[in-house]
Amino acid sequence: MRKLILAAGLISMLSACGGGGGLFNRSRPDEFAVSRQAPLVIPPDFALVPPAPGTPAAASVDSSKAAMEAMFGGPAARSPGESATLSAAGRANAAAGIRSSVGDPATEVVDKGATTRDIIAAPEGDGQDARAATPQ
């Protein structure tokens, strides 16, 4: 009886190894189908000259300028309405370096009052709960 149980166990263990083809029946790449390609060859260009020492690289691009040109299409002429508005606002009277001196600590600032501070410090929102009041 022991031999029969041992033989049945051995047959059941060996039958589990027979399914699926095992090691020799799987799909794998064909190593003989791979071929070598010729290396890339860059043709000589005799018109190119090496950059002079100290000159900026030709490939360097100002990313902020490229982004502005991509968004707004480069410099465009002002419309007559825009020119009239700028002239009425005093474009001719503006100081040339005003943008450089605005952040200077010695710049005189006019106090606009608590209302302006409240507007600037107001929380962000969609304006649905906004209320307006006129001082009397």
Side-chain angles (χ1 to χ4, degrees):
M1 181 78 173
R2 280 185 165 169
K3 290 184 181 181
L4 183 63
I5 293 174
L6 185 63
L10 186 61
I11 290 173
S12 66
M13 286 193 317
L14 287 176
S15 68
C17 297
L23 181 66
F24 302 108
N25 197 13
R26 62 177 187 190
S27 64
R28 64 187 103 181
D30 185 11
E31 61 270 7
F32 297 108
V34 178
S35 64
R36 290 187 164 261
Q37 293 183 351
L40 294 176
V41 177
I42 300 173
D45 187 2
F46 298 109
L48 292 176
V49 294
T55 59
S60 65
V61 176
D62 184 14
S63 59
S64 62
K65 184 177 179 183
M68 292 297 281
E69 195 162 316
M71 287 191 297
F72 301 113
R78 297 193 187 277
S79 67
E82 188 177 3
S83 296
T85 304
L86 288 171
S87 296
R91 173 175 52 177
N93 300 335
I98 189 65
R99 292 184 179 169
S100 299
S101 64
V102 168
D104 185 21
T107 302
E108 294 182 25
V109 180
V110 177
D111 185 18
K112 297 287 185 171
T115 306
T116 305
R117 260 193 317 274
D118 292 344
I119 291 171
I120 292 172
E124 209 175 290
D126 58 3
Q128 295 295 322
D129 300 325
R131 300 281 184 263
T134 54
Q136 299 186 359

